[in-house]
Amino acid sequence: MTPYLTLDDIKRAGRIAGQHLDQTGKGSLFDGITADEWLTVCAIIVNEANKAAGDRIVAAWTVPVGAEG
């Protein structure tokens, strides 16, 4: 098992997100977007979410200056 996100993971997320948009009737929101453009949108969303989660983890494990001992 790979402990990090792969391009296949992002593509899968994009397919699921696209299906959701189609089911809600919002698929036309992205009419004219290419597959590569959609993949870029998905990668940005996934990467930014991962960054935010990582920042929260780091913040939770960081000792404030002056509180070391």
Side-chain angles (χ1 to χ4, degrees):
M1 185 167 108
T2 306
Y4 52 86
L5 290 172
T6 66
L7 181 58
D8 286 338
D9 295 330
I10 295 171
K11 287 179 179 179
R12 180 179 179 276
R15 281 192 304 273
I16 293 169
Q19 289 169 356
H20 171 74
L21 289 172
D22 288 342
Q23 289 172 355
T24 60
K26 304 288 184 178
S28 62
L29 179 67
F30 292 98
D31 279 352
I33 193 170
T34 67
D36 284 342
E37 290 168 333
W38 175 245
L39 183 58
T40 299
V41 169
C42 293
I44 290 168
I45 293 168
V46 167
N47 286 330
E48 290 302 315
N50 275 336
K51 235 192 310 186
D55 290 347
R56 285 192 303 275
I57 290 169
V58 169
W61 286 92
T62 302
V63 177
V65 175
E68 299 89 4

